[in-house]
Amino acid sequence: MLIGTAGHIDHGKTTLVRALTGVDTDRLPEEKRRGITIELGYAYLPCGAGDSAPDQVIGFVDVPGHEKFVPTMLAGASGVDFALLVVAADDGPMPQTREHLQILELLGLGRGAVALTKADRASPERLARVSHEIAALLAPTRLAGAPVFPLSALTGEGVAALREHLLGIAHSLPRPTGEGGFRLAVDRVFTLPGAGTIVAGSVHAGQVAVGDTVLVTPAGITARVRSLHVQNRKADQGRAGQRCALNLAGLSVDQVKRGDWLCGSAQALPATRLDIDLQLATDAPRALAHGAVVQIHHGTRHLLGRVALLDAGLEKGGLPPGGRSLAQVVADAPLHACRGDLVVLRDGHGRHTLGGGRILDPFGPPRQRRHPARLAVLAAQALSKPAERLQALLEHAPLGLDLGQLAAAENQRRADLLTLLPAASCHLTDKADWLIGHLALTTLAGRVTARLAEHHAQYGDELGLERDRLRRMVAPQAPAAAFADWLEQWLGEGLLARSGSAWHLPGHRVELDARDQGLADTLLPWLQDAGFEPPWVRDVATRLGQPEALTRDLLKRLAARGEACQVVRDLFYAPAAVRRLGDIAAELMAEQGAIRAADFRDRTGLGRKRAIQILEYFDRVGFTRKLGHGHAEQHRIRGDLPFS
Ligand SMILES: Nc1nc2c(ncn2[C@@H]2O[C@H](COP(=O)(O)OP(=O)(O)OP(=O)(O)O)[C@@H](O)[C@H]2O)c(=O)[nH]1
Ligand SMILES: [Mg+2]
C-alpha cells in the first residue's frame, strides 16, 4: 500500500511520518534550515515482524504543504492508493487543507484517514469542534466518513492507534493484480556510485522484473532493468501499487526526469490531445473560458496547454464553476497517457486548482472534435467494461480503428484486446494493424461497388479505377494498406474484379471491336519483344499503317484492359516488362533500403531520363513513394505492382 500525506503547511505531515516510521523525510539542507518540506519524501513501514516481503511494507510519500509547491504535491499524490490528510488541531482546516482535499478528490482517491495533529495544543472541546469541521469538509467527497485520529506527534499520544489502523488497512487491501502493460510514473532520478542510474516512482499498472527492457516515454529511449528495489527492499519483480526503484543499464541520468514514464513495451505512443470528461470545481475562481491556458497535471508531469470545450453552447460564456463538459486538453508537448488516467487542471499561472477529469481518449482528433459522430465515440469511450467499450467503438468507426493506437490507449497488448471482441464481429488487417467491424466493412463494400458502377456508366471506355484513386473517392481517411486488403477480400468474394491496375465490377470490360482486336493482336507482340525499350506511339502507328491518334486511343484502351502500361503519354510498355522492372526496384530496396534513380538506371541499363519516368510511373500506381528532393531524392516500396 502507498500512502500519501496531504494538508496545509506546518500542520505536521513530516513529523507524523517520522513518528510512524522513524524516518525523517526532510533530507535537503534547505528543508532543514527553513523547517518546511520542499521535495517529496519517502519512508517505509514494515507490516510484519523482521524482514518483511515488499508486499508487507507500507510506503509513505510525504508532500509539501506550501501553496507554491502544489505541483510537487500533485506529483506525489498521483500514484498513491490511500490518503493521510493532516490537519493541525490549533489551526483547523486551512486553504491547502481544502486544495489538497480537492486534488485527492480529482485524483479519485476514495481511501483515507485524517490525522488531527498537535492535539497536545488543543482542548477536548476544540478537538471535537475541528473534527466536526473536517467531517463536514469530507462529506461531499469520496473520503466522506474517513476516520479522524486526534494525536500528538510530539508526545506520541494517539500515534499508535493510527499506525494500527493503517496496518489493518494494508492487510485487508486486495493485492493488485498487475494487469495491463507496465507503467511507472517517474518521480526521482539519481546516480548511485557503482550502480549507475536509478529511476524511481509508483507503478500504476502491470509489472516489471529484472532483465526487462523498459521504454522511457515520451523520449522513446529504451533501457534494461539491471536490478530493482520494491518498497525499499531488493526484489526480482515489482507490480502495480508499489514504489519501485530501477537500476537501468544503458541510460544516463540526463535522459530521464520526473514527469516521464517508464513503460513495458513499444505499445506506448506519445499524445498531445487528451479528450476528457471535465469537471470544474465548485469553488473555481471563475468560469473556464474556451481556449483558456492551463497547467495540465498528469502522473508526475505538469505542462502548459489549452482547453477546448466540446459543448458548443459553452463557447461564449465558458464552463461555470461546478459545471461539467467534455473537453479536449491540448498539451504544449507530447506526453504518455492512457484512457482512464486522471488529469488535474490548474490555471495558467499555477495559482488555483480548477478541476480535472478522466481521460476518455488520449488521441483526440485535431479537427471535427465536437462533431456528433465524434461525441458518440466519446460516449463509447466512457463505457467502463472493456468488451462493451471496444464493441461500441467499433460500431462508431465507419472506416475502422487503428489497433496499435487502441492498444496504446488501453495499455493492453493487441492480442489481449482482440480476445475481448467476438471474432465474427470484426475484420483485422494485419499489414495495416487496422480493425474494422463487419457491418462497417459491408457498408464500405456497398459504397465501393456503387462508385464503380457510376464510373462505368460515365466512362465506358475506361476499364475502372486505380486502387488509390478509388480509395480517395470512397474512403480517403482509411489507410492505403487496409484499403488494399479490403479490395483483395472483395476480389476473393467475387464482388470486384481487377484487370491490370484497374479495379472494376465483374463483367465490366472495355470492348474492342473486331478491327481493333486485329490491330491489338498485331501490336502487342511488338511491345513484348521490345522489353525495356518499347517503340513510341508514332513508330507503332507508322509500322501499323494507322493514324497516330487512332493508335494512341487503341493503346489507351489496351492499357485500360491491363494489356499495356502507359508509362508516359506516348510510351506504352508490356506488363511483363514492367513486372521485371518492378523486380529490379524490389532488389534495390532489399539491398539498400531505398531506390535511387542512378542505381535503378545502372541496374536496368536504361537511360537516366527513362529510369526516372519508370520510377514516376511506379509512384503513380502506388508501387513506390518518392521521398526527399534533388540529390536526396529516392523512392521506397509501399505497395504491390498493380498486376495480378
Ligand atoms: N506541538 C506539536 N507540534 C507539532 C506536532 N506535529 C508537528 N509539530 C511541529 O509543527 C512544525 C511543523 O511540522 P512539519 O512536520 O514540518 O509540518 P509539515 O506539515 O510537514 O510542513 P510542510 O511539509 O512544510 O507542509 C514543526 O515545528 C513540528 O515540530 C504535534 O503533534 N504537536
Ligand atoms: Mg513536511
Side-chain angles (χ1 to χ4, degrees):
M1 177 162 84
L2 286 176
I3 299 179
T5 62
H8 198 73
I9 185 165
D10 250 2
H11 275 199
K13 297 179 289 298
T14 306
T15 311
L16 177 59
V17 169
R18 192 177 57 206
L20 287 167
T21 65
V23 178
D24 182 4
T25 54
D26 280 351
R27 295 154 296 145
L28 302 177
E30 193 186 348
E31 289 178 320
K32 298 263 186 250
R33 188 163 45 78
R34 291 170 67 184
I36 64 166
T37 300
I38 294 169
E39 257 310 328
L40 296 175
Y42 309 98
Y44 299 90
L45 178 66
C47 295
D51 205 13
S52 314
D55 265 334
Q56 290 175 316
V57 176
I58 299 179
F60 286 86
V61 181
D62 182 43
V63 306
H66 195 295
E67 63 175 318
K68 266 207 192 135
F69 303 140
V70 172
T72 308
M73 181 273 171
L74 265 152
S78 83
V80 305
D81 35 35
F82 188 94
L84 182 57
L85 181 66
V86 173
V87 184
D90 48 356
D91 276 351
M94 294 288 279
Q96 268 65 54
T97 314
R98 294 190 179 81
E99 186 167 18
H100 284 195
L101 183 60
Q102 185 189 13
I103 287 168
L104 297 176
E105 177 71 1
L106 290 170
L107 293 177
L109 270 165
R111 292 194 192 98
V114 181
L116 186 53
T117 55
K118 309 196 185 182
D120 52 287
R121 286 199 196 153
S123 64
E125 296 75 45
R126 171 78 192 158
L127 287 176
R129 204 164 57 243
V130 177
S131 295
H132 208 72
E133 266 179 65
I134 293 169
L137 215 55
L138 296 185
T141 74
R142 288 185 182 81
L143 292 173
V148 179
F149 293 85
L151 55 87
S152 165
L154 214 62
T155 66
E157 210 178 327
V159 173
L162 174 62
R163 189 190 289 113
E164 285 314 306
H165 177 74
L166 296 178
L167 292 173
I169 299 269
H171 279 302
S172 70
L173 274 190
R175 202 161 169 252
T177 55
E179 265 174 42
F182 170 65
R183 300 175 73 207
L184 176 150
V186 176
D187 57 31
R188 261 186 102 185
V189 179
F190 55 95
T191 330
L192 210 61
T197 306
I198 311 286
V199 178
S202 309
V203 183
H204 285 235
Q207 32 198 323
V208 65
V210 173
D212 282 359
T213 297
V214 293
L215 182 75
V216 180
T217 53
I221 307 164
T222 54
R224 196 178 53 81
V225 181
R226 196 184 277 146
S227 65
L228 61 92
H229 273 67
V230 175
Q231 305 287 77
N232 219 25
R233 299 282 194 281
K234 200 167 168 49
D236 293 327
Q237 54 175 296
R239 93 174 76 76
Q242 300 176 323
R243 267 194 71 74
C244 287
L246 312 185
N247 178 356
L248 295 179
L251 192 75
S252 64
V253 268
D254 48 8
Q255 285 179 305
V256 55
K257 56 188 178 309
R258 173 179 293 173
D260 289 344
W261 290 82
L262 297 183
C263 297
S265 71
Q267 78 203 17
L269 292 174
T272 49
R273 294 174 178 274
L274 314 175
D275 281 1
I276 70 169
D277 179 6
L278 171 63
Q279 172 78 53
L280 203 61
T282 41
D283 54 1
R286 65 188 78 84
L288 180 67
H290 178 74
V293 173
V294 291
Q295 289 276 357
I296 306 163
H297 293 262
H298 171 257
T300 51
R301 174 103 180 260
H302 64 102
L303 72 176
L304 277 174
R306 276 173 195 279
V307 181
L309 298 170
L310 300 185
D311 182 342
L314 298 172
E315 211 165 336
K316 275 218 176 84
L319 182 63
R324 189 170 164 185
S325 167
L326 293 173
Q328 184 173 85
V329 182
V330 186
D332 277 0
L335 68 155
H336 161 73
C338 295
R339 187 206 157 276
D341 286 355
L342 291 158
V343 293
V344 173
L345 302 182
R346 304 190 80 228
D347 69 280
H349 301 289
R351 290 201 200 102
H352 311 281
T353 299
L354 301 176
R358 199 167 284 284
I359 297 179
L360 297 173
D361 189 350
F363 306 110
R367 277 176 291 279
Q368 302 235 303
R369 49 196 182 181
R370 54 163 73 132
H371 190 277
R374 175 63 195 166
L375 298 181
V377 170
L378 290 179
Q381 288 281 19
L383 296 171
S384 58
K385 291 208 183 84
E388 285 174 16
R389 180 164 68 242
L390 291 190
Q391 193 62 51
L393 283 175
L394 264 188
E395 279 163 22
H396 287 99
L399 293 179
L401 296 168
D402 180 335
L403 184 59
Q405 186 172 297
L406 195 63
E410 294 278 338
N411 188 33
Q412 294 286 348
R413 283 199 303 258
R414 291 163 170 76
D416 293 340
L417 278 185
L418 291 174
T419 60
L420 294 173
L421 291 163
S425 72
C426 58
H427 172 89
L428 174 68
T429 306
D430 279 331
K431 220 172 176 181
D433 216 0
W434 199 259
L435 196 62
I436 187 166
H438 265 304
L439 202 61
L441 196 56
T442 309
T443 310
L444 210 53
R447 280 170 52 204
V448 166
T449 50
R451 189 70 198 79
L452 285 174
E454 238 173 81
H455 189 81
H456 295 335
Q458 212 172 348
Y459 306 98
D461 58 345
E462 282 183 27
L463 189 48
L465 288 163
E466 284 182 355
R467 183 176 67 203
D468 217 45
R469 227 178 121 207
L470 185 56
R471 181 181 67 87
R472 285 197 300 272
M473 286 171 165
V474 180
Q477 253 84 295
F483 192 73
D485 179 86
W486 301 334
L487 288 184
E488 294 297 336
Q489 178 172 337
W490 296 326
L491 179 71
E493 290 168 2
L495 220 54
L496 301 181
R498 178 178 54 194
S499 308
S501 60
W503 289 87
H504 54 89
L505 293 177
H508 175 76
R509 253 181 99 66
V510 174
E511 296 301 341
L512 298 180
D513 59 23
R515 196 185 82 107
D516 284 346
Q517 190 62 60
L519 292 173
D521 290 345
T522 309
L523 72 82
L524 284 174
W526 298 344
L527 298 189
Q528 269 143 30
D529 294 345
F532 291 176
E533 302 282 358
W536 292 92
V537 168
R538 194 186 333 114
D539 303 327
V540 177
T542 312
R543 201 167 157 191
L544 216 51
Q546 295 292 335
E548 198 176 316
L550 183 142
T551 307
R552 183 183 298 111
D553 180 64
L554 173 60
L555 277 162
K556 273 165 90 170
R557 277 178 295 140
L558 289 171
R561 289 163 63 89
E563 294 173 70
C565 305
Q566 190 174 20
V567 169
V568 287
R569 182 172 177 268
D570 273 347
L571 194 62
F572 291 80
Y573 273 67
V578 169
R579 230 183 336 262
R580 286 204 305 279
L581 289 166
D583 290 343
I584 293 174
E587 266 169 41
L588 284 172
M589 183 76 192
E591 289 166 21
Q592 308 178 3
I595 308 147
R596 273 168 289 270
D599 298 336
F600 187 65
R601 177 199 59 197
D602 295 347
R603 190 72 62 98
T604 55
L606 294 169
R608 178 180 152 70
K609 188 169 170 200
R610 181 63 50 80
I612 291 173
Q613 285 168 340
I614 297 281
L615 288 173
E616 282 170 353
Y617 168 79
F618 283 162
D619 285 344
R620 216 161 53 235
V621 298
F623 176 52
T624 57
R625 166 185 299 150
K626 188 172 94 174
L627 295 162
H629 295 282
H631 287 302
E633 183 175 310
Q634 47 174 250
H635 301 255
R636 298 241 172 98
I637 291 189
R638 66 159 171 152
D640 297 320
L641 259 186
F643 318 115
S644 42

